[in-house]
Every structure is written in structure tokens, then in C-alpha cells.
Amino acid sequence: MYHRILVPLDGSAAAERGLREAIGLAAEQKARLSLLHVADNLPMLVEMSSVTNYQEMLNELRRYGEDVLAKAKRAAAEAGVQADTLLREVTQGRVSDVIIDEAKKAGCGLIVMGTHGRRGVSRLTLGSEAERVVRSSTVPVLLVRLDESSS
């Protein structure tokens, strides 16, 4: 049913849980994964005053994203699942918009992403990229909630 599944990754335990679910689905469906890390540069632009420091931080963000993607690709390969990696940066706009755009560009039939399942004030203050993806995506979205007792 699914030929390509997009998996947004940020290095969190929730994203790891989503990755495990996506790997299982991809193995069953004989689908290929598109592993996506979005480096959000906007907070750095606001906080950084020195161009040198900004460039160093940007390079560190890229290295972190590459590491997250490499680990995810290894996990997929160990399960016999093929995966491509995508590292994107955003300085304006939302991470959720990048996720939705990449799902369309890659021809994905499903987006699988982890969520912390926050409620109440913490959800309102922290926001939820997962919720924004669900509300805006034309591609079906599977949210995998982090089991807080296992983290």
C-alpha cells in the first residue's frame, strides 16, 4: 500500500519511537523510507550576535542532523529497509511546512512521526509540530506517541 514513507527525525526519544514504527511498517509493506532532519536556524538568528559564532553553530546543527540521519539509516538497514536521508534547513517559516513539502516532493504516501503527546499548558507553550503537520498535510500522518514510562 505504501511505497515511500517520510520519517521526520530530531534526535528525541519520541522521534526514535516513530522511526521504529516506520521501520516496521516499511518492512511489512516493502516500502522505502525518506528520513528527514530539519535544522531550525531561526532561534540562532535571534540569539547570535557574532557571524563567526553563528557559522560555528550552524555547522554544529548540520553535524548533529547528519549524525541523527546516519544512525536512523543504519537502523533501517539492519532491518532490511532501504532509506534515503534528507537534511533541510529553515530560517523562515515552520518545520512543519518543510515536513509537508518534503513528503510531497518525495512522493510519500505516509508520514510517520513521533510525538510527546503533551496536553494543556505545556502543549500551548511548546507548540506541536506534529499537530501542525496533521492539520495541514494532504498526505496521511501516523503519530506515534512516546510511552513516557519507557523513557
Side-chain angles (χ1 to χ4, degrees):
M1 179 172 186
Y2 300 112
H3 300 289
R4 185 173 289 272
I5 300 170
L6 181 76
V7 186
L9 301 165
D10 63 4
S12 69
E16 176 66 27
R17 175 81 174 84
L19 173 64
R20 288 193 308 268
E21 188 69 27
I23 289 172
L25 274 171
E28 290 174 7
Q29 300 278 319
K30 305 221 182 320
R32 184 177 196 96
L33 296 179
S34 290
L35 307 171
L36 172 65
H37 178 82
V38 181
D40 186 358
N41 301 340
L42 183 59
M44 284 192 336
L45 288 173
V46 172
E47 294 177 15
M48 301 305 291
S49 58
S50 165
V51 173
T52 303
N53 287 339
Y54 172 75
Q55 192 58 48
E56 288 173 15
M57 290 295 293
L58 186 57
N59 290 340
E60 186 59 35
L61 271 178
R62 288 178 184 142
R63 280 191 293 272
Y64 177 77
E66 289 166 358
D67 185 52
V68 165
L69 291 171
K71 288 177 183 174
K73 188 170 184 170
R74 276 194 302 277
E78 288 170 4
V81 173
Q82 293 183 334
D84 301 314
T85 60
L86 304 161
L87 179 61
R88 298 292 182 258
E89 295 176 22
V90 63
T91 54
Q92 296 180 0
R94 297 190 172 277
V95 170
S96 55
D97 293 336
V98 176
I99 293 169
I100 293 165
D101 290 344
E102 289 300 331
K104 289 177 190 173
K105 283 184 199 173
C108 295
L110 179 68
I111 299 171
V112 176
M113 58 191 303
T115 181
H116 291 279
R118 290 186 179 101
R119 294 188 178 135
V121 175
S122 68
R123 185 178 132 255
L124 290 174
T125 34
L126 295 172
S128 172
E129 292 300 326
E131 182 178 348
R132 287 183 186 105
V133 170
V134 167
R135 290 181 185 272
S136 301
S137 178
T138 57
V139 174
V141 180
L142 172 62
L143 295 182
V144 181
R145 188 170 176 178
L146 177 64
D147 179 6
E148 297 293 341
S149 65
S150 66
S151 58

CSV table of all heavy atoms in Angstrom, one decimal, residues 106-142:
chain,number,residue,atom,x,y,z
A,106,ALA,N,8.9,14.1,-2.3
A,106,ALA,CA,9.4,12.7,-2.4
A,106,ALA,C,8.4,11.7,-2.8
A,106,ALA,O,8.7,10.5,-3.0
A,106,ALA,CB,10.0,12.3,-1.0
A,107,GLY,N,7.1,12.1,-3.0
A,107,GLY,CA,6.1,11.2,-3.4
A,107,GLY,C,5.7,10.2,-2.3
A,107,GLY,O,5.3,9.1,-2.5
A,108,CYS,N,5.7,10.7,-1.0
A,108,CYS,CA,5.5,9.8,0.1
A,108,CYS,C,3.9,9.6,0.2
A,108,CYS,O,3.2,10.5,0.1
A,108,CYS,CB,6.0,10.4,1.4
A,108,CYS,SG,7.8,10.5,1.4
A,109,GLY,N,3.6,8.4,0.6
A,109,GLY,CA,2.2,8.1,0.8
A,109,GLY,C,1.8,8.2,2.3
A,109,GLY,O,0.6,8.0,2.6
A,110,LEU,N,2.8,8.3,3.1
A,110,LEU,CA,2.5,8.4,4.6
A,110,LEU,C,3.7,9.1,5.3
A,110,LEU,O,4.8,9.0,4.8
A,110,LEU,CB,2.5,6.9,5.1
A,110,LEU,CG,2.2,6.8,6.6
A,110,LEU,CD1,0.8,7.2,7.0
A,110,LEU,CD2,2.4,5.3,7.0
A,111,ILE,N,3.3,9.9,6.3
A,111,ILE,CA,4.3,10.5,7.2
A,111,ILE,C,4.1,9.8,8.5
A,111,ILE,O,3.0,9.7,9.1
A,111,ILE,CB,4.0,12.0,7.4
A,111,ILE,CG1,4.1,12.7,6.0
A,111,ILE,CG2,5.0,12.6,8.4
A,111,ILE,CD1,3.7,14.2,6.1
A,112,VAL,N,5.2,9.3,9.1
A,112,VAL,CA,5.2,8.7,10.4
A,112,VAL,C,6.1,9.5,11.3
A,112,VAL,O,7.3,9.7,11.0
A,112,VAL,CB,5.7,7.2,10.4
A,112,VAL,CG1,5.8,6.7,11.8
A,112,VAL,CG2,4.8,6.4,9.5
A,113,MET,N,5.6,10.0,12.4
A,113,MET,CA,6.4,10.9,13.3
A,113,MET,C,6.0,10.6,14.7
A,113,MET,O,4.9,10.4,15.1
A,113,MET,CB,6.3,12.3,12.9
A,113,MET,CG,5.0,13.0,12.9
A,113,MET,SD,4.9,14.6,12.1
A,113,MET,CE,6.1,15.5,13.1
A,114,GLY,N,7.0,10.7,15.6
A,114,GLY,CA,6.8,10.6,17.0
A,114,GLY,C,6.3,11.9,17.6
A,114,GLY,O,6.5,13.0,17.0
A,115,THR,N,5.6,11.8,18.7
A,115,THR,CA,5.0,12.9,19.4
A,115,THR,C,5.1,12.7,20.9
A,115,THR,O,5.1,11.5,21.3
A,115,THR,CB,3.6,13.2,19.0
A,115,THR,OG1,3.1,14.4,19.7
A,115,THR,CG2,2.7,12.1,19.2
A,116,HIS,N,5.3,13.7,21.6
A,116,HIS,CA,5.3,13.6,23.1
A,116,HIS,C,4.0,13.5,23.7
A,116,HIS,O,3.8,13.1,24.8
A,116,HIS,CB,6.1,14.8,23.7
A,116,HIS,CG,7.5,14.8,23.4
A,116,HIS,ND1,8.4,14.1,24.0
A,116,HIS,CD2,8.2,15.5,22.4
A,116,HIS,CE1,9.6,14.3,23.5
A,116,HIS,NE2,9.5,15.1,22.5
A,117,GLY,N,2.9,13.8,22.9
A,117,GLY,CA,1.6,13.8,23.4
A,117,GLY,C,1.3,14.7,24.5
A,117,GLY,O,0.5,14.4,25.4
A,118,ARG,N,1.9,15.9,24.5
A,118,ARG,CA,1.7,16.9,25.5
A,118,ARG,C,0.3,17.4,25.5
A,118,ARG,O,-0.4,17.5,24.4
A,118,ARG,CB,2.6,18.1,25.3
A,118,ARG,CG,4.1,17.7,25.6
A,118,ARG,CD,4.9,19.0,25.5
A,118,ARG,NE,6.3,18.6,25.8
A,118,ARG,CZ,7.3,18.5,24.9
A,118,ARG,NH1,7.0,18.6,23.6
A,118,ARG,NH2,8.5,18.1,25.2
A,119,ARG,N,-0.2,17.8,26.7
A,119,ARG,CA,-1.6,18.3,26.8
A,119,ARG,C,-1.5,19.6,27.6
A,119,ARG,O,-0.5,19.9,28.2
A,119,ARG,CB,-2.4,17.3,27.5
A,119,ARG,CG,-2.7,16.1,26.7
A,119,ARG,CD,-3.7,15.2,27.4
A,119,ARG,NE,-3.9,14.0,26.6
A,119,ARG,CZ,-4.0,12.8,27.0
A,119,ARG,NH1,-3.8,12.6,28.3
A,119,ARG,NH2,-4.1,11.8,26.2
A,120,GLY,N,-2.6,20.3,27.5
A,120,GLY,CA,-2.8,21.5,28.4
A,120,GLY,C,-1.8,22.6,28.1
A,120,GLY,O,-1.4,22.9,27.0
A,121,VAL,N,-1.3,23.2,29.2
A,121,VAL,CA,-0.4,24.4,29.1
A,121,VAL,C,0.9,24.0,28.4
A,121,VAL,O,1.4,24.8,27.6
A,121,VAL,CB,-0.1,24.9,30.5
A,121,VAL,CG1,0.9,26.1,30.5
A,121,VAL,CG2,-1.4,25.4,31.1
A,122,SER,N,1.5,22.9,28.7
A,122,SER,CA,2.8,22.5,28.0
A,122,SER,C,2.6,22.4,26.5
A,122,SER,O,3.5,22.8,25.8
A,122,SER,CB,3.4,21.2,28.6
A,122,SER,OG,2.6,20.1,28.2
A,123,ARG,N,1.5,22.0,26.0
A,123,ARG,CA,1.2,21.9,24.6
A,123,ARG,C,1.1,23.3,24.0
A,123,ARG,O,1.6,23.6,23.0
A,123,ARG,CB,0.0,21.1,24.3
A,123,ARG,CG,-0.2,20.9,22.8
A,123,ARG,CD,-1.4,20.1,22.4
A,123,ARG,NE,-2.2,20.7,21.4
A,123,ARG,CZ,-3.3,21.4,21.6
A,123,ARG,NH1,-3.8,21.4,22.8
A,123,ARG,NH2,-3.9,22.0,20.7
A,124,LEU,N,0.4,24.2,24.8
A,124,LEU,CA,0.2,25.5,24.3
A,124,LEU,C,1.5,26.3,24.3
A,124,LEU,O,1.7,27.1,23.4
A,124,LEU,CB,-0.8,26.2,25.2
A,124,LEU,CG,-2.3,25.7,25.1
A,124,LEU,CD1,-3.1,26.4,26.1
A,124,LEU,CD2,-2.8,26.0,23.7
A,125,THR,N,2.3,26.2,25.3
A,125,THR,CA,3.6,26.9,25.3
A,125,THR,C,4.6,26.4,24.4
A,125,THR,O,5.3,27.1,23.8
A,125,THR,CB,4.1,27.0,26.8
A,125,THR,OG1,3.9,25.8,27.4
A,125,THR,CG2,3.7,28.1,27.6
A,126,LEU,N,4.7,25.1,24.3
A,126,LEU,CA,5.7,24.5,23.5
A,126,LEU,C,5.3,24.3,22.0
A,126,LEU,O,6.1,24.2,21.2
A,126,LEU,CB,6.1,23.1,24.1
A,126,LEU,CG,6.8,23.1,25.4
A,126,LEU,CD1,7.0,21.7,25.9
A,126,LEU,CD2,8.1,23.9,25.4
A,127,GLY,N,4.0,24.3,21.8
A,127,GLY,CA,3.5,24.1,20.5
A,127,GLY,C,3.7,22.6,20.0
A,127,GLY,O,4.3,21.9,20.8
A,128,SER,N,3.3,22.3,18.9
A,128,SER,CA,3.4,20.9,18.4
A,128,SER,C,3.6,20.9,16.9
A,128,SER,O,2.6,21.2,16.2
A,128,SER,CB,2.2,20.1,18.8
A,128,SER,OG,2.3,18.8,18.2
A,129,GLU,N,4.8,20.6,16.5
A,129,GLU,CA,5.0,20.5,15.0
A,129,GLU,C,4.1,19.3,14.5
A,129,GLU,O,3.6,19.4,13.4
A,129,GLU,CB,6.5,20.3,14.7
A,129,GLU,CG,7.3,21.5,15.0
A,129,GLU,CD,7.0,22.7,14.2
A,129,GLU,OE1,6.5,22.6,13.0
A,129,GLU,OE2,7.1,23.8,14.7
A,130,ALA,N,4.0,18.3,15.3
A,130,ALA,CA,3.2,17.1,14.8
A,130,ALA,C,1.8,17.5,14.6
A,130,ALA,O,1.2,17.1,13.6
A,130,ALA,CB,3.3,16.0,15.9
A,131,GLU,N,1.2,18.3,15.5
A,131,GLU,CA,-0.1,18.8,15.4
A,131,GLU,C,-0.3,19.6,14.1
A,131,GLU,O,-1.3,19.5,13.3
A,131,GLU,CB,-0.6,19.6,16.6
A,131,GLU,CG,-2.0,20.0,16.5
A,131,GLU,CD,-2.5,20.8,17.7
A,131,GLU,OE1,-1.8,20.8,18.7
A,131,GLU,OE2,-3.6,21.4,17.6
A,132,ARG,N,0.7,20.5,13.8
A,132,ARG,CA,0.6,21.3,12.6
A,132,ARG,C,0.7,20.4,11.4
A,132,ARG,O,0.0,20.7,10.4
A,132,ARG,CB,1.7,22.3,12.7
A,132,ARG,CG,1.5,23.4,13.7
A,132,ARG,CD,2.6,24.5,13.6
A,132,ARG,NE,2.5,25.4,14.6
A,132,ARG,CZ,3.3,25.5,15.7
A,132,ARG,NH1,4.2,24.6,15.9
A,132,ARG,NH2,3.0,26.4,16.7
A,133,VAL,N,1.5,19.4,11.4
A,133,VAL,CA,1.6,18.5,10.2
A,133,VAL,C,0.2,17.8,10.0
A,133,VAL,O,-0.3,17.8,8.9
A,133,VAL,CB,2.7,17.5,10.4
A,133,VAL,CG1,2.7,16.4,9.3
A,133,VAL,CG2,4.1,18.2,10.4
A,134,VAL,N,-0.3,17.3,11.1
A,134,VAL,CA,-1.6,16.6,11.0
A,134,VAL,C,-2.7,17.6,10.4
A,134,VAL,O,-3.5,17.2,9.5
A,134,VAL,CB,-2.1,16.1,12.3
A,134,VAL,CG1,-3.5,15.6,12.3
A,134,VAL,CG2,-1.2,14.9,12.7
A,135,ARG,N,-2.7,18.8,10.9
A,135,ARG,CA,-3.7,19.7,10.4
A,135,ARG,C,-3.6,20.2,9.0
A,135,ARG,O,-4.5,20.6,8.3
A,135,ARG,CB,-3.8,21.0,11.3
A,135,ARG,CG,-4.3,20.7,12.7
A,135,ARG,CD,-4.3,21.9,13.6
A,135,ARG,NE,-4.7,21.7,14.9
A,135,ARG,CZ,-6.0,21.7,15.3
A,135,ARG,NH1,-6.9,21.9,14.5
A,135,ARG,NH2,-6.2,21.4,16.6
A,136,SER,N,-2.3,20.2,8.5
A,136,SER,CA,-2.1,20.8,7.2
A,136,SER,C,-1.7,19.8,6.1
A,136,SER,O,-1.8,20.2,4.9
A,136,SER,CB,-0.9,21.8,7.3
A,136,SER,OG,-1.2,22.8,8.2
A,137,SER,N,-1.3,18.6,6.4
A,137,SER,CA,-0.8,17.7,5.4
A,137,SER,C,-2.0,17.1,4.6
A,137,SER,O,-3.0,16.7,5.1
A,137,SER,CB,-0.1,16.6,6.1
A,137,SER,OG,0.4,15.6,5.1
A,138,THR,N,-1.7,17.0,3.3
A,138,THR,CA,-2.7,16.2,2.4
A,138,THR,C,-2.3,14.7,2.4
A,138,THR,O,-3.0,13.9,1.9
A,138,THR,CB,-2.7,16.8,1.0
A,138,THR,OG1,-1.4,16.8,0.5
A,138,THR,CG2,-3.2,18.2,1.0
A,139,VAL,N,-1.1,14.5,2.9
A,139,VAL,CA,-0.6,13.1,3.0
A,139,VAL,C,-1.0,12.5,4.3
A,139,VAL,O,-0.9,13.2,5.3
A,139,VAL,CB,1.0,13.1,2.9
A,139,VAL,CG1,1.6,11.7,3.1
A,139,VAL,CG2,1.4,13.6,1.5
A,140,PRO,N,-1.5,11.3,4.4
A,140,PRO,CA,-1.8,10.7,5.7
A,140,PRO,C,-0.7,10.8,6.7
A,140,PRO,O,0.5,10.6,6.3
A,140,PRO,CB,-2.2,9.3,5.4
A,140,PRO,CG,-2.6,9.3,3.9
A,140,PRO,CD,-1.7,10.3,3.3
A,141,VAL,N,-1.0,11.0,8.0
A,141,VAL,CA,0.0,11.1,9.0
A,141,VAL,C,-0.3,10.1,10.1
A,141,VAL,O,-1.4,10.0,10.6
A,141,VAL,CB,0.0,12.5,9.6
A,141,VAL,CG1,1.1,12.6,10.7
A,141,VAL,CG2,0.3,13.6,8.5
A,142,LEU,N,0.7,9.3,10.5
A,142,LEU,CA,0.6,8.4,11.7
A,142,LEU,C,1.5,9.0,12.8
A,142,LEU,O,2.7,9.1,12.6
A,142,LEU,CB,1.1,7.0,11.3
A,142,LEU,CG,1.3,6.0,12.4
A,142,LEU,CD1,-0.1,5.8,13.1
A,142,LEU,CD2,1.9,4.7,11.9
